[in-house]
Amino acid sequence: CVPLSCPVLHAGLEIIFTDFQCSSNNLQHHTAEISTKQLVVRRGQPFTVTLHFRARGYQPGTDTILLITETGPLPDQSSGTRAVFPLAQSDPRRSWRAVCVSNSPSSMQISLLAPASAAIGKYQLKVHIDSCTGQATSYQLGEFMLLFNAWCPEDEVYLESEPRRQEYIMKDYGFVYQGNKNWIHPCPWNYGQFEEDIVEICLKLLDRSLYFQHDPLRDYSLRKNPVYISRVVSAMINSNDDSGVLQGNWSEDYSNGTSPSEWSGSVAILRQWHATGGQPVRYGQCWVFAAVMCTVMRCLGVPTRVVTNFDSDHEKDGNLIIEEFYDSTGRLLANESKDSIWNFHVWNECWMARQDLPPGYGGWQVLDATPQETSNGLFCCGPAPVRAIKEGDVQLSYDAPFVFSMVNADRVAWLIRGTRREKLQWDTRAVGNNISTKCLGSDEREDITDSYKHQEGSVEERQVFLKALTQRHPKRMRSPSPATGPRASGILPAVSEASTPLSAPAEGDSPLHAAQTYLKFKLDESPEIGRDIGLTLLAHNLGFEYKDLKLNVSAQSVLHDGTPLPPFWQDTLYVSFRPKEEKTIPWSISYTQYGKHVSQDKLIRVVAIGEENTTWEKLLVEKIITLASPAVTINVREGAPGPLNLGEQYGLTKLVGPLRAQERASVTFPVTPMKSGQRQLQINIQSSRFQAIKGHKTVMVAPTSGW
């Protein structure tokens, strides 16, 4: 700055007002949607502050200015939560910097820069002034928030592509994929990370963690690290260890809370948690945990997306084997197995460098806030590098073995008869299918299965499987002896079964041995709740002899975590075949049969167990059926705006009905959008007969009045 030509000083330099230039700073830091009245900036990027003086301006050589930034309850320079730096040039990437941009007789504009390694959070900005008069004065200038910066190459969360930054930081809506691998349904979700007060709530969430309660000074010093932050948030989204945001419930009884299927956004959940002083919100399941975590991480500046894994393993003993047990009627026996295959499971991927790991393991990391297993004593999971999962490097931090099993475990089906059990099927394709996330830049679905695993049935896939198994059980896998190796221990199919391919057909309905009958279920049409289910069993005699086949068929509702409910329909029939004959066997399951038994997840598992009279070979075929909700059509018409703000914090309720069977209804809502750009309009319909029905419409809102 150029020294001012002023008269002889009669007083020290006094500050009367500080302008944080919130509107312009926030716009440049991609935080304008968070606030235009509060300064919210990103580390590693300059921002400007204007100091206004009382009697005279700043004079270099006469006035010495020190700036001070502090965060946390115990600011400390050695821990990085307090910085004292002069108004002068310094290394902008390693320490805090303050530079005079312009100077006048009444004000001075300063450019400040937080290093790309600074702790995120709420900061106090102070200034200490020494003048030639001997007068020293200190001022508390105000408060600002500092977030991670995906636009800064030196930040550990840096993303090169602007479209990716727009998708994984700035996009405030998305989809959570549900259903099953053959019927994938997008469920709209409002992340709302830029809604008023959400950033305050996200920072409060960090302050309520057990890490902070145990050691506040260390906790704040580690908030510079996205790996640390992601583990804290993963633990705090669930309430199993602390006063976390959400309480999980898989019981089907939500009478003293909100059913997980009724939520359609994160804002109401986070605000309720904050308003009640940190009381867990009832209730959540995996997709709610993941969607709320996406909101928090995007708000804090970490690129994040929501990922759904169809047929997701949850096995307890670490042998990468899921065991399921059936009785002779085809009923799945829940109490016989400690393992389970979730129809779908939802987690997050967060983008960050992994300086704690060998090179090459940065990028997308798996985080799972659903409380399944503990990690270092707390119910959290990750970050686990996606690359480590694909390559079987399960020794790397954090929780890679658990994540690997969710997408790679094999499934073994057993038939229970009294005290005897008989192996029905060994399926290497049963787990980790159609791993899905929202597509970059569009509302379509992207399949990212190949980023988690090699092609099913390939040599590489089996090699990675064995590599991971060896790392988890090195002593068990070390000996090459057939008596003690992985096949003898039941980890892999026995050598005598090697003549049969280890992988099953795409439908996963092949028997373990080379049976001479092929069975497959096929839906007549996509079923909708309230309608009868038309189902056909395709049966093919592969042999050259006559044979009879006994079929026991069972249908039972299942929860999305794989828990079966009691069967509501069973049937037995005998089918005779000529050599090489194909038959189709139709069934119809009426709504009166399943309506009273279907769960809120609207999932039905149909199982048939067949027994040949020639080889006495057993066959297992099954199909998971997802019942679709009635369709909701949304038409957006331009016209005079109405009184309703477009945001999750607002709502408009209208009664529709009662409706008779097959009857249609329409309702009109006047809406005034308050933010421009691409937005998602959501409609939620609740009924006394079935769970919430959700519809959505993507709209483009012009930056001026009108559409």
Side-chain angles (χ1 to χ4, degrees), residues 499-562:
S499 60
T500 301
L502 297 183
S503 59
E507 288 293 329
D509 50 19
S510 175
L512 180 62
H513 298 286
Q516 292 297 298
T517 306
Y518 175 73
L519 300 176
K520 179 181 179 180
F521 277 124
K522 183 179 180 180
L523 285 169
D524 297 344
E525 60 181 356
S526 181
E528 185 176 297
I529 189 78
R531 297 178 180 269
D532 295 347
I533 301 172
L535 191 67
T536 298
L537 180 65
L538 308 177
H540 185 195
N541 178 12
L542 303 176
F544 291 95
E545 66 279 344
Y546 289 85
K547 70 172 62 171
D548 293 325
L549 183 69
K550 178 184 177 182
L551 283 171
N552 289 317
V553 188
S554 176
Q556 54 194 131
S557 291
V558 292
L559 307 184
H560 100 273
D561 65 357

Side-chain angles (χ1 to χ4, degrees), residues 8 136 142 154 194 229 273 297 322 353 367 389 428 468 503 506 560 618 626 659-660 667:
V8 177
E154 286 75 29
F194 301 130
I229 289 292
W273 174 80
M297 297 303 286
I322 290 288
L367 277 301
I389 305 308
T428 66
S503 59
H560 100 273
K618 308 296 190 304
T626 301
L659 296 176
R660 295 182 296 273
V667 62

Side-chain angles (χ1 to χ4, degrees), residues 599-677:
S599 69
Q600 290 201 16
D601 296 317
K602 299 179 295 184
L603 299 172
I604 294 175
R605 182 198 293 260
V606 181
V607 175
I609 293 181
E611 183 175 2
E612 298 179 352
N613 70 334
T614 54
T615 63
W616 305 109
E617 188 66 54
K618 308 296 190 304
L619 302 99
L620 171 68
V621 59
E622 62 180 357
K623 191 168 190 67
I624 298 291
I625 300 171
T626 301
L627 299 167
S629 297
V632 178
T633 301
I634 303 174
N635 295 314
V636 178
R637 297 194 304 269
E638 297 184 22
L644 178 63
N645 187 350
L646 189 64
E648 188 186 338
Q649 71 271 37
Y650 298 89
L652 187 63
T653 303
K654 287 192 177 183
L655 182 64
V656 181
L659 296 176
R660 295 182 296 273
Q662 303 299 313
E663 186 178 1
R664 295 175 178 267
S666 63
V667 62
T668 301
F669 294 89
V671 180
T672 302
M674 303 304 290
K675 293 182 179 180
S676 62

Side-chain angles (χ1 to χ4, degrees), residues 379-607:
F379 279 95
C380 65
C381 180
V386 173
R387 181 193 168 193
I389 305 308
K390 182 171 184 176
E391 301 305 328
D393 296 320
V394 297
Q395 79 281 7
L396 299 177
S397 311
Y398 291 85
D399 309 306
F402 184 76
V403 178
F404 184 89
S405 72
M406 288 197 291
V407 299
N408 283 291
D410 287 358
R411 169 183 173 266
V412 180
W414 298 89
L415 176 64
I416 300 295
R417 285 184 172 177
T419 58
R420 296 180 56 234
R421 68 180 194 176
E422 180 178 352
K423 193 177 293 183
L424 288 170
Q425 187 182 81
W426 189 299
D427 191 352
T428 66
R429 301 173 185 258
V431 166
N433 293 298
N434 295 350
I435 303 174
S436 302
T437 191
K438 180 184 176 296
C439 203
L440 176 68
S442 80
D443 290 350
E444 299 302 313
R445 181 183 69 90
E446 179 183 3
D447 191 303
I448 57 172
T449 308
D450 60 356
S451 67
Y452 278 85
K453 57 202 298 187
H454 296 277
Q455 185 176 359
E456 289 286 5
S458 66
V459 173
E460 294 85 356
E461 186 267 335
R462 286 289 94 181
Q463 288 175 339
V464 167
F465 185 93
L466 288 173
K467 176 184 177 182
L469 203 54
T470 302
Q471 291 179 357
R472 298 185 78 175
H473 302 283
K475 294 181 180 179
R476 191 175 180 184
M477 300 291 291
R478 189 173 298 144
S479 172
S481 167
T484 58
R487 298 185 186 278
S489 62
I491 295 176
L492 292 178
V495 175
S496 62
E497 298 159 0
S499 60
T500 301
L502 297 183
S503 59
E507 288 293 329
D509 50 19
S510 175
L512 180 62
H513 298 286
Q516 292 297 298
T517 306
Y518 175 73
L519 300 176
K520 179 181 179 180
F521 277 124
K522 183 179 180 180
L523 285 169
D524 297 344
E525 60 181 356
S526 181
E528 185 176 297
I529 189 78
R531 297 178 180 269
D532 295 347
I533 301 172
L535 191 67
T536 298
L537 180 65
L538 308 177
H540 185 195
N541 178 12
L542 303 176
F544 291 95
E545 66 279 344
Y546 289 85
K547 70 172 62 171
D548 293 325
L549 183 69
K550 178 184 177 182
L551 283 171
N552 289 317
V553 188
S554 176
Q556 54 194 131
S557 291
V558 292
L559 307 184
H560 100 273
D561 65 357
T563 302
L565 302 181
F568 59 81
W569 175 74
Q570 291 179 321
D571 195 7
T572 300
L573 73 156
Y574 296 85
V575 184
S576 296
F577 291 95
R578 295 190 300 273
K580 293 293 184 176
E581 184 179 10
E582 296 183 26
K583 288 191 174 183
T584 58
I585 305 166
W587 275 290
S588 178
I589 306 174
S590 68
Y591 178 68
T592 57
Q593 288 176 300
Y594 75 78
K596 295 183 295 184
H597 305 279
V598 70
S599 69
Q600 290 201 16
D601 296 317
K602 299 179 295 184
L603 299 172
I604 294 175
R605 182 198 293 260
V606 181
V607 175

